[in-house]
Amino acid sequence: MTKINNEVDDSRKSRGFSKLDMGEHGGATSDDDERAEKPWHRVAKQFSKKGEHFNEPVKSVPSVVLILVLGVYLLLGFLTQLVEDDMPSVVKISSLDRDTSDRFSEESALRYLGKILGDKPRVSGTKYHFVKTRDMKSLVDDIAASATIKVETDWQMVTGDYFLKSSAPFFNFYHNCSNIIALLEGDSGYHSDGSLGSSILVNCHYDSVPFAMGASDNGIFCAAMAETLSRLSKRRTKLKHNVIFLFNGAEENPLQASHAFLSHPWSRGAVALINLDSAGMNGKPMVFQVTDPRVISAYSRTASRPAAQGLAEFLFTAGVIRSDTDFRVFRDFGNIHGIDIAFTKMGHVYHTRNDAVELIRPGVVQNAGDMLLGLVTRVADLENIGEKMRPTAAVYFDYLNAFMVTYSYTAAYVVDVLVVLAGLASVYYYLWLVGARVSSLKELSLAAVSRLLSMVAGAAVAALFVVIMVATTTQMRYLSRAWLVVPLYWIPYLIAAIVTSHAFDMWRWRKSGLSRSLRMHQAMASTRLLLSVILLILVCIPSLTPLRYLVGVPLLIMTITSIMSITVVRYIRLTGWQHLILEVLLSLPVVMWTLSLALRLDAMMLPLMGRSDLSYPDYTVGLLNIGLVILVATGVSGLELLFSRKHMWLVMTAVGIPCIVLMFIPFSPYDENGVALQRHYWFHSQITSYDINGTQTSQTSGILVMKMDPYGVRDVISALSSSGMDLEVRTDFGADCDTMVYCGMPTYRSAFGRQNRNAMFIYTNPPAPAQYDPPISFTVESKICSGNTCTYYFRMTGSAHNIVTLWPLANITIESWSLQSPVAVCFTQLERPVYVIYHATATYMERWDLQFMVVFNVPQSLQSGPIVEISHHSNKLQHPEDFTVEYTNILNSMPKYFNIATILSVRNNYVF
């Protein structure tokens, strides 16, 4: 103790301290005076000293306590997850009157869900989809029949097309697309000319992907919509605006039925949108796209458990999350704006056999329904929503599902600048407390450098371990064990950052002369300084406006709590233990918010790796979680300085060894009895090519296995070998991909075609020809050339789902065609334009044929020869009854953790 006091005295002398610096009046206090003091006198005197104790030594907290504190924060993460998963009690039908209009019942909604789902996947274009479309119409008709307020229903069936400018653009051509629509009449009713008055559009889709029941995607929301319609139809008074409940029949096709609805007369009355979808199951559905601030404002006022993050919208629109919803169609083609809401948790079940009713947890439907009923009621009663408004972006986020904050981009500049000023003010408050000298500024700057060095060291060590793990063990182990991100990525970062921080502090503490508590506050002040600078830089980048709250919210909370902490330290002498407890308590608001953000982001991104074609997804997840731990650790940056360095290496070793052990245990990413399955798309295929005379030039058949994760192709080969099947396999498509559209392989969607380069082809017998009735054909009905144009009339028959690629030869382009959409190039290959048409008979028909016309721009010198290469991909998506015996045996030989969505596919290549 003497040594420490001497060091502090020396440091005071070096900084020019005198005895007068020790109190307001200086002088000594006699022992008699101290004995005469009452306890309350000592407390009052302690408060009046105002910092007399600042530079007195503070005994450090034993380093072993760091493990306890780490455990507290891990427990805090668990509690935050409980908050995220908290659901309301299920409302039973028996607890409601028949005419109750303002309460939602999960039990009632689940009954609707059973009617909507049936017992098979509802893939558009199949017979069963038609059956469930008819059942959907009956369901809304029954609701309309018992309604108090007028409900009109309609079964729309329409043909059309549009150009979908996605990451893999194509022309989306739908044939007989079905929508079931219910109109709840409001005060706006109909205009005198018969057109619909102002209406709120609420959308879900009842179709599903192949070999998945689609209970969450999107049955839950369709059931919630049915229950909401039923409840609102029992109101005694009308809402101010009509409400259109659109149960669309072809979202998975993709995005066809939403575009089809835009041709319905009712669509012209839609002034605001609530779009409902899913990319997971359970948890709280989250708002992740906003274009109408009136609707998000209504959501913030009505949702009892709001869940909304602008970060998700940024990732979605930036293409990091490669998916899409009907929201895009309504926004881009219908000029209808609002909010997009989707389930995002448990993305493992998305588009798999596990998307089943049995996995829906109690309260999930109740929570979604409470949100929807309140939101629709509020929006449909707004005075200011009678007209469409221009699309307007907003900054929005919730705090632990307790409340929500939303404001415009314009207001964001004011808010963020004020937060920067508040952060800088809190830094000045610290400087004022220790003395706003040049030496204090120098120490603060060095502390900021130490924060940066700690962050860099932590990130470097964590990244190094990621590289080692990718090279030596199994990737994607977090798919079935999300908690592994903590020992694999978070703990290595924290250990390296803490060690670096203490090493820097050991160098500076003698020179600064600051007590342990003040060094901790200096570190925290430097963190706020860095955040303020970062936020100020972000303010100058308009494109990052929706992301600035990720810095602004922690900075604001830390600013408030730091002022509280510094004020307490100013007036009260705290021991190391007392200061630690104070800082841990004050850190709870910011740590819980950042933990909530981390939990949600990992819940979205980890399952995404199971359906990406990345060879090294762990690099993406590692980078993501290093960023998340930096964000979370920012809230407690500096707290580590309260701990003793004695035995610190033992503590760090004790924490680090279990993490290192876990790093090299090769857990399987998949769980055949759980939710994490290995995704597969298989195309049982026949590929035939014809020359310009219609003569067959080649034919091959087999199974195309798409690459959906790093191990899918490898695991198929291993399974085939284990079951004794000696089949020829091909994995190298590089040369074919350079010279042929989609590598010469079949595809179901344009985006899938890009993945054929890394696919595998297993040579087998073809699908049975009898499976295709009518036969697959693509013929030229007539050809007429005039001047520099040649007009072709084509006829096509085949399955319900088709892709046609038109690839004109060099110096030839398409000038026009019979599709409604103007001609546009989808991509180029060998410097030749490629035009892609996705065609679907979205509602089942026994037989169909398609006739369409294409006008080519062809120099006369080329008109006597071939002018275009065409590939016709015809796909049957949900027909297990048509599998051949050989194909069935191969499927049955695969591991149970495979989730195989299998497609019967024929690709015919023509030259015309």
Side-chain angles (χ1 to χ4, degrees):
M1 188 67 172
T2 303
K3 182 179 179 181
I4 295 176
N5 284 331
N6 289 339
E7 289 173 348
V8 172
D9 289 340
D10 291 342
S11 67
R12 287 176 182 163
K13 292 175 183 177
S14 67
R15 296 170 59 202
F17 278 90
S18 68
K19 291 184 179 180
L20 293 177
D21 290 319
M22 297 301 297
E24 291 185 347
H25 307 293
T29 303
S30 69
D31 292 341
D32 292 339
D33 289 339
E34 288 185 2
R35 284 193 294 269
E37 282 184 333
K38 303 295 184 183
W40 67 270
H41 285 154
R42 287 193 292 271
V43 173
K45 183 178 180 181
Q46 192 175 44
F47 272 94
S48 67
K49 288 182 180 179
K50 296 183 181 179
E52 176 180 309
H53 52 282
F54 279 172
N55 289 287
E56 295 183 5
V58 174
K59 186 176 181 181
S60 61
V61 178
S63 57
V64 70
V65 178
L66 187 58
I67 298 177
L68 176 63
V69 172
L70 179 60
V72 168
Y73 285 116
L74 290 176
L75 177 62
L76 193 62
F78 175 73
L79 295 176
T80 304
Q81 185 66 71
L82 292 181
V83 172
E84 290 284 312
D85 292 339
D86 178 55
M87 294 294 159
S89 300
V90 173
V91 175
K92 302 287 187 180
I93 299 175
S94 59
S95 67
L96 302 178
D97 294 332
R98 181 179 179 278
D99 295 331
T100 299
S101 63
D102 59 351
R103 293 189 66 196
F104 185 97
S105 168
E106 176 175 307
E107 184 180 26
S108 177
L110 288 176
R111 292 184 181 180
Y112 287 127
L113 180 61
K115 296 177 182 178
I116 292 168
L117 296 185
D119 58 4
K120 297 179 185 177
R122 301 161 309 287
V123 178
S124 60
T126 62
K127 291 182 181 179
Y128 194 69
H129 174 269
F130 175 79
V131 170
K132 298 314 294 179
T133 300
R134 187 175 56 204
D135 292 346
M136 190 80 244
K137 179 62 163 58
S138 298
L139 187 153
V140 296
D141 283 344
D142 290 343
I143 293 174
S146 62
T148 303
I149 295 175
K150 183 179 179 182
V151 175
E152 291 189 56
T153 68
D154 190 24
W155 181 344
Q156 179 198 28
M157 196 175 292
V158 64
T159 295
D161 63 80
Y162 69 101
F163 182 62
L164 186 57
K165 194 176 181 181
S166 60
S167 58
F170 62 95
F171 289 89
N172 208 349
F173 185 6
Y174 49 88
H175 190 189
N176 281 14
C177 190
S178 282
N179 284 312
I180 303 301
I181 316 167
L183 173 66
L184 177 69
E185 190 172 295
D187 288 337
S188 59
Y190 291 85
H191 294 144
S192 57
D193 61 359
S195 62
L196 196 63
S198 56
S199 306
I200 311 305
L201 175 60
V202 187
N203 175 70
C204 73
H205 69 89
Y206 63 87
D207 65 318
S208 69
V209 295
F211 300 92
M213 285 299 296
S216 182
D217 185 24
N218 190 20
I220 286 179
F221 268 135
C222 285
M225 277 175 53
E227 171 69 357
T228 298
L229 170 62
S230 176
R231 293 298 163 191
L232 291 179
S233 70
K234 305 292 175 55
R235 284 173 59 96
R236 296 182 179 179
T237 59
K238 292 182 178 180
L239 296 164
K240 288 185 173 61
H241 308 282
N242 305 319
V243 183
I244 302 169
F245 292 85
L246 173 59
F247 301 87
N248 92 58
E251 190 268 352
E252 302 288 5
N253 246 20
L255 310 184
Q256 291 184 339
S258 50
H259 189 271
F261 172 72
L262 296 178
S263 63
H264 195 285
W266 288 351
S267 71
R268 292 188 282 277
V271 295
L273 168 68
I274 300 170
N275 190 64
L276 306 168
D277 211 331
S278 176
M281 177 184 280
N282 294 320
K284 300 176 178 71
M286 186 165 66
V287 176
F288 69 103
Q289 290 193 89
V290 173
T291 53
D292 190 333
R294 299 171 301 182
V295 184
I296 190 64
S297 177
Y299 174 89
S300 68
R301 285 171 168 77
T302 57
S304 59
R305 293 171 171 83
Q309 288 293 339
L311 172 61
E313 177 171 351
F314 182 86
L315 295 175
F316 194 80
T317 55
V320 176
I321 300 176
R322 293 190 294 181
S323 188
D324 221 333
T325 73
D326 290 314
F327 188 85
R328 171 204 281 268
V329 174
F330 294 126
R331 178 194 65 199
D332 295 350
F333 296 92
N335 192 30
I336 307 172
H337 302 284
I339 62 175
D340 204 1
I341 306 173
F343 289 100
T344 57
K345 191 179 178 182
M346 284 182 67
H348 318 84
V349 308
Y350 173 69
H351 287 186
T352 73
R353 64 175 182 259
N354 281 337
D355 189 1
V357 173
E358 292 75 19
L359 289 183
I360 300 174
R361 294 173 182 168
V364 168
V365 179
Q366 186 68 50
N367 177 73
D370 288 345
M371 176 276 296
L372 183 61
L373 179 59
L375 177 59
V376 172
T377 304
R378 175 83 179 191
V379 175
D381 252 352
L382 288 175
E383 293 283 357
N384 67 339
I385 209 163
E387 300 290 339
K388 288 183 180 180
M389 71 175 298
R390 296 178 59 186
T392 305
V395 177
Y396 55 93
F397 56 89
D398 71 274
Y399 184 84
L400 296 174
N401 304 132
F403 62 88
M404 186 173 163
V405 178
T406 178
Y407 45 88
S408 69
Y409 274 22
T410 302
Y413 288 97
V414 177
V415 169
D416 293 335
V417 169
L418 289 176
V419 171
V420 168
L421 294 176
L424 294 176
S426 73
V427 174
Y428 178 77
Y429 183 33
Y430 161 78
L431 287 173
W432 173 79
L433 200 65
V434 298
R437 308 177 181 88
V438 173
S439 59
S440 299
L441 287 172
K442 176 184 175 183
E443 291 300 325
L444 183 66
S445 300
L446 289 172
V449 171
S450 79
R451 298 299 94 193
L452 290 174
L453 288 176
S454 298
M455 181 183 70
V456 170
V461 169
L464 177 62
F465 276 116
V466 173
V467 172
I468 294 173
M469 285 187 287
V470 168
T472 59
T473 189
T474 306
Q475 293 192 79
M476 301 196 308
R477 291 171 291 169
Y478 41 75
L479 276 183
S480 54
R481 302 171 183 83
W483 56 268
L484 275 175
V485 300
V486 174
L488 299 188
Y489 309 115
W490 289 44
I491 300 300
Y493 171 90
L494 292 173
I495 290 175
I498 290 171
V499 169
T500 304
S501 174
H502 268 279
F504 197 96
D505 182 66
M506 185 167 60
W507 171 58
R508 290 305 305 172
W509 79 273
R510 292 178 183 273
K511 300 178 181 179
S512 69
L514 296 177
S515 69
R516 188 175 296 274
S517 287
L518 286 184
R519 297 202 305 276
M520 189 220 70
H521 271 298
Q522 178 179 258
M524 289 186 165
S526 65
T527 300
R528 296 193 302 278
L529 176 62
L530 291 172
L531 290 178
S532 298
V533 172
I534 292 171
L535 184 56
L536 190 59
I537 293 172
L538 293 178
V539 167
C540 302
I541 308 175
S543 62
L544 297 181
T545 299
L547 295 184
R548 292 204 297 263
Y549 77 93
L550 298 178
V551 178
V553 172
L555 176 57
L556 179 61
I557 298 174
M558 291 165 62
T559 294
I560 295 171
T561 56
S562 69
I563 292 173
M564 296 168 61
S565 175
I566 293 173
T567 302
V568 169
V569 171
R570 178 187 178 195
Y571 288 105
I572 302 175
R573 180 183 302 179
L574 299 177
T575 65
W577 276 94
Q578 291 170 332
H579 199 176
L580 175 64
I581 293 171
L582 173 67
E583 294 300 337
V584 168
L585 291 175
L586 289 177
S587 72
L588 297 184
V590 67
V591 172
M592 286 192 74
W593 187 82
T594 52
L595 281 173
S596 172
L597 191 68
L599 288 169
R600 294 186 195 181
L601 197 54
D602 269 335
M604 284 192 296
M605 296 301 295
L606 299 188
L608 191 65
M609 296 301 101
R611 58 182 189 267
S612 74
D613 58 347
L614 298 175
S615 297
Y616 303 102
D618 278 19
Y619 288 147
T620 301
V621 172
L623 180 64
L624 168 69
N625 277 276
I626 289 171
L628 290 176
V629 69
I630 289 173
L631 181 64
V632 173
T634 296
V636 293
S637 179
L639 189 66
E640 71 281 357
L641 297 180
L642 290 176
F643 294 93
S644 169
R645 283 189 287 275
K646 188 177 181 181
H647 304 309
M648 180 64 76
W649 68 274
L650 285 175
V651 173
M652 295 294 98
T653 301
V655 173
I657 286 178
C659 297
I660 293 175
V661 171
L662 286 171
M663 286 179 186
F664 300 103
I665 297 178
F667 296 113
S668 171
Y670 318 110
D671 182 359
E672 61 187 42
N673 298 315
V675 296
L677 303 174
Q678 188 177 63
R679 297 169 184 270
H680 288 259
Y681 274 93
W682 286 21
F683 294 77
H684 189 196
S685 311
Q686 178 172 286
I687 306 165
T688 307
S689 297
Y690 302 89
D691 63 18
I692 193 169
N693 298 315
T695 303
Q696 179 179 313
T697 58
S698 67
Q699 186 174 78
T700 189
S701 62
I703 304 167
L704 178 70
V705 178
M706 291 181 56
K707 180 186 176 185
M708 300 298 293
D709 70 21
Y711 303 119
V713 170
R714 181 204 68 180
D715 289 353
V716 171
I717 294 174
S718 175
L720 289 173
S721 176
S722 299
S723 39
M725 294 186 182
D726 185 18
L727 297 172
E728 183 183 354
V729 171
R730 180 185 176 190
T731 57
D732 181 13
F733 291 94
D736 290 350
C737 293
D738 293 335
T739 57
M740 291 186 282
V741 174
Y742 299 142
C743 310
M745 292 288 108
T747 190
Y748 159 52
R749 291 186 181 176
S750 182
F752 285 5
R754 297 178 305 179
Q755 296 174 233
N756 282 349
R757 181 179 292 271
N758 299 312
M760 175 180 72
F761 195 80
I762 307 169
Y763 291 92
T764 67
N765 291 321
Q771 296 170 357
Y772 299 94
D773 184 22
I776 297 167
S777 68
F778 197 97
T779 58
V780 176
E781 295 289 288
S782 65
K783 169 185 174 182
I784 303 171
C785 291
S786 176
N788 286 328
T789 63
C790 285
T791 303
Y792 279 70
Y793 291 87
F794 297 107
R795 180 184 294 270
M796 180 178 75
T797 61
S799 303
H801 300 264
N802 302 271
I803 279 187
V804 176
T805 63
L806 298 97
W807 192 24
L809 299 182
N811 302 314
I812 299 172
T813 59
I814 294 179
E815 184 175 287
S816 63
W817 52 24
S818 55
L819 297 185
Q820 299 172 11
S821 306
V823 175
V825 176
C826 296
F827 62 93
T828 60
Q829 186 151 351
L830 298 179
E831 299 182 350
R832 294 160 49 192
V834 180
Y835 308 85
V836 182
I837 302 172
Y838 175 85
H839 168 267
T841 303
T843 303
Y844 176 75
M845 298 174 64
E846 283 288 345
R847 285 178 173 271
W848 62 269
D849 65 66
L850 174 68
Q851 301 175 55
F852 65 101
M853 175 267 292
V854 180
V855 178
F856 295 92
N857 192 331
V858 188
Q860 293 185 12
S861 60
L862 301 177
Q863 291 179 6
S864 59
I867 67 170
V868 63
E869 295 181 44
I870 294 178
S871 64
H872 174 207
H873 310 242
S874 192
N875 301 298
K876 298 182 78 169
L877 302 189
Q878 180 72 37
H879 292 274
E881 68 279 2
D882 291 335
F883 294 168
T884 63
V885 173
E886 179 190 34
Y887 188 48
T888 300
N889 289 337
I890 293 173
L891 289 172
N892 291 339
S893 69
M894 294 298 111
K896 291 182 180 179
Y897 64 81
F898 278 23
N899 186 89
I900 304 175
T902 179
I903 297 169
L904 303 179
S905 182
V906 170
R907 170 173 173 159
N908 290 331
N909 304 311
Y910 305 93
V911 179
F912 296 118

